[in-house]
Amino acid sequence: MNVFVVNCGSSSLKYQLINSDTEEVIAKGLCERIGIDGKLTHSPAGKDKYEASVSMPDHKTAVSLVLEALTDNEHGVIKDLSEIGAVGHRIVHGGEKFAKSVVIDDNVIEAIAECNDLAPLHNPANLIGISACRALMPDTPMVAVFDTAFHQTMPKKAYLYGLPYEYYEDHKVRKYGFHGTSHSFVSKRLLELIGKESGESKVIICHLGNGSSITAVKDDRSVDTSMGFTPLDGLIMGTRSGSIDPAVVQYLAGKLNISLDEVINILNKKSGVEGISGVSSDFRDLEAASEGGNERAKTALEMFAYRAAGYIGSFTAAMNGVDAIAFTAGIGENNITVRRMICGYLSYLGFELNEDANNVRGQEIMISTPDSKVKVYVIPTNEELAIARETLELVG
Ligand code: ADP
């Protein structure tokens, strides 16, 4: 069966068409600047990439252009829409309502909309993607796969904040965690690699990209994660501050004479390694600047690795041990230096780095030595494939 995987943002739509039998990507692409002007980039497997500037006043037009591209005589990959067996939608926030993926119906749509408050930038866009697809493919089954669902197994002691309890009860203020699809995908693969698919296991997944989070996975279930009520919490990221003393928010608002919204915007978009270094949010640029003697870039990298090592340590303590650790996403898969820096903090675990193995990018590999007590792997993530698998499981 072909599964159409849709990741709809406020002005963009990323998609993949995946043959779920062979797990091959038949086509993938991106609609950008929806509601502004519109650009479609469509990459069919084995054919030339197709790029077009086309008017995309809304998401329905964007979905319709993608479906036309998929069925087009020249750059299409399927004859007609009947060759799409199901659609898998990435949904950012499922609140406490969704602990796993679900087949989409009117009740599910309503429940996702009830989580809009928790992800005001993302969930409404995800819902627009669902309604656009439903309008154009009314008889095709659709599945919602949530970024938060994997973390719904966290115990209360991990997900509650030290706030008056009624804010949790009345306003749902708690840690939710994100990147769940990736953490779940990578932890399953890690358990296969260390031969602990069933039974007791303790692993830590480091998803290090523009947005970064680390998750503790015990017996195949998320038991703690570094992102919180929103993706702003936890690690220092490309442009996000990660955890800071909340009193800084009020202090800065006063000092800079700006609103709380503006401070939060600074914490989300102007902080992290970009804000610290003044160079870039991209770790390739940071590394180059640091090697060229830029002290702030060097400090930013050190802070990133230090904070990551801190989470690994705290989650190891929380699980009373760790069998294996995996690095994934853009930085985790590709940045040799950052991996080495984080690994530099792990000798207390009886960990030893295999420098040659660590010297690779973008491929699955064990980077610990054979004697290392804790196994450490690089495992490329694949959120689209994970969504296609979940979709197939529910409607296949
Ligand atoms: P997003 O959260 O947007 O999905 P990614 O997972 O793509 O982010 O990660 C982006 C980060 O990965 C960037 O900081 C980039 O520098 C880093 N990265 C990607 N490819 C490489 C590479 N080949 N070498 C070093 N770093 C890389």
Side-chain angles (χ1 to χ4, degrees), residues 234-253:
L235 296 168
I236 293 168
M237 308 181 213
T239 62
R240 291 184 206 137
S241 62
S243 311
I244 59 162
D245 180 342
V248 169
V249 175
Q250 185 212 23
Y251 182 81
L252 271 185

Side-chain angles (χ1 to χ4, degrees), residues 271-339:
S271 301
V273 292
E274 179 174 296
I276 299 158
S277 66
V279 172
S280 167
S281 63
D282 191 300
F283 276 64
R284 284 166 287 205
D285 302 337
L286 276 184
E287 212 184 326
S290 170
E291 279 163 14
N294 184 315
E295 278 303 317
R296 273 169 58 186
K298 185 164 171 261
T299 303
L301 288 171
E302 284 170 355
M303 288 168 72
F304 181 84
Y306 178 73
R307 179 81 57 97
Y311 273 102
I312 293 172
S314 104
F315 290 164
T316 300
M319 294 192 291
N320 192 18
V322 61
D323 301 316
I325 298 169
F327 287 104
T328 195
I331 299 160
E333 291 166 30
N334 297 298
N335 199 306
I336 294 161
T337 308
V338 168
R339 283 198 306 251

